[in-house]
Amino acid sequence: MNTIGIEKISIYPSSLALRLSDLAHARVGDRKYIQETLMVSTRSLVPLCEDAVTLAVNSAKEMLTNEDRSDIGLFIIATESGLDQEKAISTWAHRYLNLPAACRVFELKSACHAGAASLKMAESWIYSGLNRDKKALLINVDISNNMTRHGMMEYSLGAGAVALLISNKPLFAVIETGKSGVHTHEVTDVIRPLPWKEIAFDVQASLYSYMDGLEGAFAEYCQITPEAKDTAYFNYNIYHLPFPGISKEAHKVLLELQGIFGIEAIAASFKKKVIPSLYYSQQMGATYCGSIFLSLFSLVSQAQGLKPGERIGIYSYGSGSCAEYFSMLVGEQAVAIARQQAKKLDALLAQRKILDVPAYEQLEEARSAQMQGQGYKADENNMLDGYARYYSGNDRLILEHIDNYLRGYRYV
């Protein structure tokens, strides 16, 4: 059997954060709604010395050995946060990750579904045998842009990067090749009309589209795999998370499609099969293309008694829209890998500098200007007090300058 899947996984949350309780206080918002409906406590913020390139590189750099680098023949970055209308982010990241010249690189944009689409593309490339025993590197990276303030969407933003090494040695998670259902329909719900501006046109339409996509994609999955109609088929379930709380309604929809009704039965299933997957999203906020993979990592690191071979149902959704339902199996070394990486991620999350709301607003205004081509030079003495603690001496990539749209990077 040609087993394909995730060999390694690594997450980078950047160096700043915002407490949603502080934002609710400043906006006179409903804290209970944030905690119980959105189910998020903090969200990652990105300083001006970082962008999609640095997040991508910093997520993968420590994960890759020299042998891994030499074995990579395909490198995809899935993102909504592109920096150039022509040049792919993956070219910069390819350079700073020191990957081979004989490597196909590109950037894939398909809203939040780009992560799942890239995984499937890498799977097909390896399954075809045309990969010549080479591996694929997939990095999912996104940064929320300046949206309309004082609206509920402001609480569900975030940032981060998730790196995956895809190969015939799926130690972390095995893709169930051939088991996938897709559903596409056009809807204008959330768009980025300009690289520095993100707009939610119709939140209600977006939520309905998300659920319609789940029903349609799962229906096709069940045509291929009829036994999936039984709720016992999946040991765990993962959903795309624009905010963690959406998984409550999504899981209810899925269970009803499987013939399970009743508040108590649905709540018990949600607690067992979904809650462990929300752990890191509740601390980082929306990670867009990387959402399902951050949830996968959360599940493996947090679920009690997880066993190799257990099946995970995964729902990916991208605004616009395209949805996909597929499944993976827990890998033989998944728990050991997750424990090791969780120590690193927990340390990075704990090191983040918490900004107050005025500092957060100032940062977002400056980022918007930076995205529009304003010149920039990293000031190590004024990096929100975080340079020495988070960057200096840690061999992380930073954005050093922007000069007439040209970007320069360096390791510090």
Side-chain angles (χ1 to χ4, degrees):
M1 181 180 177
N2 191 10
T3 55
I4 302 166
I6 301 171
E7 180 179 340
K8 293 183 178 182
I9 184 169
S10 181
I11 296 109
Y12 182 70
S14 198
S15 60
L16 303 175
L18 175 68
R19 291 193 185 97
L20 276 300
S21 58
D22 292 344
L23 184 62
H25 179 75
R27 302 288 189 258
V28 195
D30 186 344
R31 296 189 187 188
K32 185 177 180 181
Y33 176 83
I34 295 165
Q35 294 171 350
E36 297 181 7
T37 302
L38 298 182
M39 296 179 67
V40 62
S41 59
T42 58
R43 48 173 278 211
S44 284
L45 302 173
V46 179
L48 297 180
C49 66
E50 290 225 55
D51 61 11
V53 172
T54 68
L55 294 184
V57 170
N58 291 332
S59 72
K61 185 175 179 295
E62 291 186 8
M63 178 184 79
L64 300 174
T65 65
N66 289 334
E67 184 179 358
D68 289 333
R69 289 183 173 87
S70 65
D71 284 343
I72 293 170
L74 174 65
F75 177 29
I76 310 171
I77 287 188
T79 185
E80 296 181 29
S81 306
L83 300 172
D84 188 285
Q85 295 302 300
E86 180 177 18
K87 182 176 172 62
I89 289 175
S90 47
T91 56
W92 275 302
H94 173 275
R95 172 184 175 182
Y96 288 102
L97 287 172
N98 195 27
L99 300 182
C103 179
R104 177 177 285 110
V105 303
F106 55 93
E107 175 184 319
L108 184 63
K109 178 182 73 64
S110 184
C112 298
H113 179 61
S118 297
L119 178 71
K120 289 297 178 179
M121 193 171 293
E123 174 196 10
S124 298
W125 178 68
I126 294 172
Y127 189 82
S128 72
L130 299 176
N131 64 316
R132 295 175 295 179
D133 294 324
K134 296 292 184 179
K135 301 178 182 182
L137 176 63
L138 165 59
I139 301 180
N140 309 269
V141 57
D142 273 300
I143 304 169
S144 292
N145 279 341
N146 196 20
M147 297 180 73
T148 304
R149 298 221 180 106
H150 302 276
M152 293 311 298
M153 288 293 291
E154 187 180 12
Y155 296 101
S156 61
L157 306 181
V162 184
L164 309 168
L165 186 63
I166 312 300
S167 74
N168 282 122
K169 192 165 66 173
L171 302 176
F172 185 77
V174 181
I175 300 169
E176 291 205 283
T177 297
K179 294 184 179 182
S180 175
V182 295
H183 180 82
T184 298
H185 66 283
E186 191 280 325
V187 60
T188 303
D189 50 356
V190 180
I191 67 167
R192 293 196 187 196
L194 298 167
W196 55 86
K197 194 169 185 65
E198 185 177 357
I199 299 175
F201 275 111
D202 191 334
V203 175
Q204 194 78 355
S206 187
L207 294 175
Y208 280 125
S209 179
Y210 178 106
M211 298 306 167
D212 288 345
L214 174 56
E215 291 186 23
F218 186 66
E220 192 187 21
Y221 184 96
C222 289
Q223 289 180 9
I224 298 166
T225 314
E227 54 268 37
K229 296 176 183 178
D230 186 342
T231 186
Y233 186 73
F234 300 108
N235 300 100
Y236 299 94
N237 298 94
I238 284 172
Y239 303 93
H240 169 59
L241 301 178
F243 56 92
I246 199 172
S247 59
K248 282 184 181 179
E249 182 61 26
H251 195 57
K252 177 175 178 290
V253 168
L254 183 78
L255 290 181
E256 290 177 351
L257 292 172
Q258 294 175 316
I260 303 298
F261 300 89
I263 295 174
E264 291 184 1
I266 291 172
S269 177
F270 180 73
K271 182 178 180 180
K272 177 183 182 297
K273 293 188 173 185
V274 182
I275 283 287
S277 69
L278 309 181
Y279 183 74
Y280 286 111
S281 291
Q282 291 175 321
Q283 300 176 65
M284 291 172 60
T287 50
Y288 297 77
C289 297
S291 168
I292 55 172
F293 303 116
L294 182 61
S295 295
L296 177 63
F297 180 80
S298 295
L299 173 68
V300 176
S301 66
Q302 300 300 312
Q304 299 298 311
L306 194 76
K307 299 180 180 61
E310 290 190 304
R311 179 174 287 109
I312 305 166
I314 302 174
Y315 175 57
S316 168
Y317 173 81
S319 294
S321 71
C322 184
E324 182 164 2
Y325 201 94
F326 64 102
S327 54
M328 302 187 80
L329 306 178
V330 177
E332 290 293 333
Q333 297 182 26
V335 173
I337 292 169
R339 284 176 180 168
Q340 181 184 37
Q341 290 297 325
K343 290 180 182 178
K344 296 178 182 178
L345 179 55
D346 290 341
L348 291 173
L349 290 170
Q351 290 172 14
R352 291 180 303 178
K353 179 178 175 61
I354 305 294
L355 298 190
D356 60 22
V357 174
Y360 147 71
E361 292 177 333
Q362 183 180 13
L363 172 66
E364 293 306 300
E365 291 295 338
R367 176 173 298 285
S368 180
Q370 188 187 75
M371 286 290 291
Q372 294 176 61
Q374 186 179 88
Y376 167 78
K377 184 170 178 58
D379 181 358
E380 297 172 5
N381 296 317
N382 189 30
M383 286 188 180
L384 297 168
D385 304 320
Y387 178 78
R389 177 179 57 171
Y390 204 90
Y391 295 99
S392 183
N394 288 317
D395 201 25
R396 293 201 176 106
L397 190 69
I398 67 166
L399 174 63
E400 184 174 34
H401 63 81
I402 302 175
D403 184 11
N404 193 27
Y405 295 99
L406 299 178
R407 291 172 178 255
Y409 299 91
R410 67 180 172 92
Y411 279 107
V412 294

